[in-house]
Amino acid sequence: MRDLPEDSPSGPATARSGRAPGVPPTFVDGTRLWVDARLRALVQARIEARLLRRLGGPVLDGRVLELGTGRRGTGLRSALDTFGAAHADGVEIFPASVADCRAAVRDLGDRVQVSQGDATRLSADDATYDAVFGWHVLHHTEDWRAVVAEAARVLRPGGRFYSCEMTARFIDSRVLRAVSAHPADGDRPTPATLAAACRAAGLTVTAQETRLAGCWTALVATRS
């Protein structure tokens, strides 16, 4: 999974290289300013997590996985506090983010575990988790359909995939591309393609809600 360019240079030359036709260039990469922002964490915990719980229900006493934890550990806390999970694992591709996330959730003790890994090739066995969470991780990934397929693989029968995403309509807009770097293949999720990818992975979409004129979508899909 390719996520935010922590360990690589950014700027016009990097952002433009390999850019697909029709995808606007990135001139200034301010992505990390938002990803690590306190406001984003508040929106995720107080709005998005509650909405996903309303759409898909709790995961009481379950074991769950978060894809792409970032630095703050907000998703892991939400899995425990909002969804009622007993244990939450997190996978994050960047070593620096793994270290920061572990420090951020240290107070949760052995209820959480954060590991370095690639969401397109999870190390977990099949049918390991009661739920998998993806908080705006797919649009940072070149092969985001592989992430959905991996989420489906590690879910137990009846397990749920919870996803919140900013969609291609926003991510590939000229305004956002100018100030925020994302993979340049021009294939960001849309509400329809996200639902289709879930179905292709063997999941049944049980709820989906799209807002902000199609720029944001929340989805819950269940493994049969």
Side-chain angles (χ1 to χ4, degrees), residues 11-13 15-16 19 24-31 176-182:
R16 288 172 180 161
R19 180 165 54 89
T26 302
F27 296 103
V28 179
D29 183 11
T31 305
L176 188 67
R177 281 281 184 176
V179 297
S180 184
H182 294 93

Side-chain angles (χ1 to χ4, degrees), residues 20-193:
V23 176
T26 302
F27 296 103
V28 179
D29 183 11
T31 305
R32 179 59 64 186
L33 295 176
W34 170 246
V35 168
D36 287 330
R38 186 181 299 274
L39 176 59
R40 180 186 184 273
L42 288 173
V43 169
Q44 181 178 333
R46 297 186 181 181
I47 298 176
E48 293 179 326
R50 293 174 183 176
L51 174 59
L52 280 179
R53 173 168 171 145
R54 175 172 63 79
L55 293 178
V59 193
L60 298 178
D61 298 323
R63 182 181 181 189
V64 307
L65 173 68
E66 183 190 3
L67 307 172
T69 63
R71 298 176 183 268
R72 286 184 173 270
T74 306
L76 296 171
R77 289 187 183 276
S78 295
L80 301 181
D81 296 342
T82 303
F83 291 86
H87 182 89
D89 292 326
V91 62
E92 166 61 46
I93 197 167
F94 294 115
S97 292
V98 171
D100 286 349
C101 186
R102 285 173 176 167
V105 298
R106 187 174 293 127
D107 61 298
L108 299 175
D110 60 5
R111 299 177 67 198
V112 300
Q113 181 175 344
V114 185
S115 302
Q116 184 181 1
D118 186 335
T120 65
R121 297 183 297 274
L122 295 172
S123 61
D125 293 334
D126 294 357
T128 297
Y129 293 102
D130 298 297
V132 175
F133 292 89
W135 305 95
H136 301 285
V137 68
L138 298 180
H139 70 259
H140 287 297
T141 311
E142 288 182 348
D143 191 2
W144 62 268
R145 291 174 179 81
V147 178
V148 174
E150 279 292 271
R153 180 184 67 80
V154 301
L155 280 172
R156 294 170 178 156
R160 283 154 285 172
F161 175 50
Y162 294 82
S163 175
C164 274
E165 278 296 322
M166 301 305 300
T167 69
R169 185 167 189 175
F170 181 60
I171 297 300
D172 287 337
S173 66
R174 290 190 176 275
V175 172
L176 188 67
R177 281 281 184 176
V179 297
S180 184
H182 294 93
D185 58 11
D187 179 29
R188 302 305 94 220
T190 69
T193 59

Side-chain angles (χ1 to χ4, degrees), residues 206-218:
T206 54
Q208 186 172 19
E209 188 167 314
T210 301
R211 297 183 178 181
L212 302 177
C215 292
W216 177 95
T217 193

